[in-house]
Amino acid sequence: MITLRAATAEHSSDLLRLLEDNAMQGAVEMVMTRRPDYFANQHYFGTEYPLLAQDGERALGMSQLTKHQGFVNGQVTELGYLNSLRIGRHDRNRIRILKAGYNYIRQHLTPPEHCYTSIASDNKTARSLLEKGNIGLPKYHLLGELSTLAICSKRGRRSNLWQRVALEEYPQIVDFYHQQVAGYQLTPRLSVDWLRQTELPVLGYYRNGQLCGCAVIWNQQRFKQVIAVGYSLAARILKPFYNGYAGLTHRVRLPAINSTLDQSFLAFFAASDKNDIIPLIDDALTHCPSSVMTLGMGADHPLLAKVTQRFSPLIYQTCLYGVELSQGVHWDQRAISPEAAIL
């Protein structure tokens, strides 16, 4: 019998096992996990509601609803991000687990009207299942695609465009960021309190004394990790040669098995002049405390091709979907700009 419950600290080991038993498939198999304790940094952005599906004491699957403020149709509203959906390897064909999870969310968690989720673009099995609209599952509406770029920090060139922002300037940073992103779908709402609580490095770009760009350097490795757990035969053979080439050309090296990707996010990045984006990324790389800097750009961003050409990143493609947990949810036809650091 399938039962759903709110996951608590006593379920941390089950949640970590489910995360780590579900690797992203490809030439490089990666898992996203939250060692050493799933709950060590809960509510790092928004409010998290993790769920666990069980049959008796056996963990079948998990998911999570994260509520946060963000932009939809040009207005700030409450968003619900459905994430961390994992089914145990022996139960992946049991669609009843998915249906039970969505029913629990509807009945017990008061999900916001506008909910969304992200699915790897090459995960054709999951996308096909969710897009065809099985009875008992919500409707999924494709909103757009996100390109997450992982750039070797050695590619950076110091130009002193960025400067560290003082606490008293945080309100200006937040207002500027919202002015730049209000026209996109799924961009999170930033807050002064969050910036102060996290104590993350906040960067500002000023021209003639006027704020023209902002960003936050966010290293999440103490509570959220991407770990390489396997390579295809071809990738294992080619890895030493590729890493030698990557070292010479300042590209991202493939990590050793069971090692964490040493990355920091260039988060909440915005610029008033799009011509400044590439120089700002260039300078931000020199501020990055890790070997890799990661940022997200909409797949239809007009500068994506130029950024890719300049920085030679590894790119991970993700489809963003609106999830219809209530009737009549409307999404305008707008470009998406979710924050990769919170997905």
Side-chain angles (χ1 to χ4, degrees):
M1 179 179 177
I2 300 171
T3 58
L4 269 291
R5 67 175 69 243
T8 60
E10 66 180 294
H11 303 118
S12 179
S13 60
D14 285 328
L15 298 177
L16 292 179
R17 179 180 57 78
L18 287 165
L19 288 176
E20 296 178 17
D21 279 353
N22 284 267
M24 295 179 283
Q25 300 300 311
V28 185
E29 295 183 13
M30 311 287 282
V31 296
M32 296 181 65
T33 188
R34 290 175 62 157
R35 297 177 181 175
D37 180 355
Y38 188 91
F39 294 89
N41 207 73
Q42 198 180 24
H43 314 319
Y44 73 98
F45 193 92
T47 305
E48 298 180 328
Y49 301 89
L51 309 177
L52 184 66
Q54 295 176 301
D55 184 354
E57 294 298 314
R58 187 169 71 90
L60 304 176
M62 63 177 287
S63 64
Q64 180 168 281
L65 172 67
T66 303
K67 296 181 182 180
H68 69 86
Q69 296 287 307
F71 288 90
V72 173
N73 305 336
Q75 302 294 323
V76 175
T77 188
E78 186 177 44
L79 282 166
Y81 177 44
L82 298 162
N83 60 96
S84 303
L85 175 60
R86 305 288 192 274
I87 305 295
R89 65 180 64 183
H90 300 299
D91 300 287
R92 288 174 188 164
N93 294 323
R94 298 176 65 184
I95 197 170
R96 288 184 300 156
I97 300 173
L98 285 177
K99 294 179 180 179
Y102 285 118
N103 287 337
Y104 184 96
I105 290 171
R106 288 190 183 101
Q107 295 172 15
H108 298 283
L109 298 184
T110 316
E113 179 181 7
H114 287 91
C115 289
Y116 70 104
T117 194
S118 60
I119 302 173
S121 298
D122 59 2
N123 190 345
K124 299 295 198 306
T125 301
R127 291 180 58 196
S128 175
L129 171 67
L130 298 174
E131 287 175 359
K132 68 182 182 182
N134 284 282
I135 295 175
L137 295 180
K139 293 182 179 179
Y140 279 67
H141 305 281
L142 183 62
L143 301 176
E145 192 171 25
L146 180 72
S147 297
T148 301
L149 283 59
I151 305 171
C152 177
S153 59
K154 289 183 179 180
R155 279 191 167 264
R157 295 181 293 199
R158 175 77 68 172
S159 54
N160 297 316
L161 296 178
W162 292 110
Q163 63 183 62
R164 187 77 178 259
V165 174
L167 289 172
E168 58 268 22
E169 298 175 36
Y170 284 6
Q172 184 187 13
I173 291 288
V174 168
D175 289 343
F176 172 83
Y177 178 72
H178 291 161
Q179 290 169 13
Q180 303 305 313
V181 302
Y184 293 97
Q185 301 285 39
L186 301 179
T187 307
R189 178 180 178 274
L190 194 54
S191 76
V192 172
D193 286 344
W194 185 83
L195 289 175
R196 287 175 176 162
Q197 290 166 6
T198 59
E199 299 181 342
L200 294 170
V202 179
L203 304 180
Y205 165 55
Y206 298 84
R207 185 189 296 126
N208 299 323
Q210 183 174 353
L211 182 63
C212 296
C214 66
V216 176
I217 303 292
W218 193 1
N219 189 327
Q220 302 178 347
Q221 293 178 69
R222 65 184 176 86
F223 67 92
K224 184 179 179 183
Q225 306 87 24
V226 177
I227 299 176
V229 294
Y231 287 93
S232 68
L233 177 59
R236 287 201 304 273
I237 294 171
L238 294 174
K239 180 171 173 281
F241 303 99
Y242 171 80
N243 278 348
Y245 168 73
L248 292 172
T249 58
H250 294 166
R251 285 169 164 79
V252 176
R253 294 168 61 89
L254 298 177
I257 295 293
N258 294 325
S259 66
T260 299
L261 178 64
D262 180 31
Q263 69 171 343
S264 298
F265 285 91
L266 185 68
F268 305 104
F269 174 41
S272 54
D273 186 342
K274 302 310 177 190
N275 292 322
D276 290 329
I277 286 178
I278 289 179
L280 287 172
I281 294 173
D282 222 340
D283 193 44
L285 287 163
T286 68
H287 293 264
C288 183
S290 52
S291 61
V292 176
M293 188 180 79
T294 301
L295 72 151
M297 299 180 72
D300 56 356
H301 194 290
L303 287 180
L304 177 60
K306 289 185 178 180
V307 171
T308 300
Q309 182 180 21
R310 165 65 185 87
F311 298 106
S312 300
L314 295 181
I315 301 178
Y316 178 65
Q317 299 289 123
T318 309
C319 289
L320 277 295
Y321 291 87
V323 184
E324 192 174 299
L325 294 178
S326 57
Q327 296 294 319
V329 179
H330 174 69
W331 298 86
D332 289 351
Q333 294 295 314
R334 296 170 183 250
I336 64 167
S337 186
E339 174 49 62
I342 68 173
L343 297 182

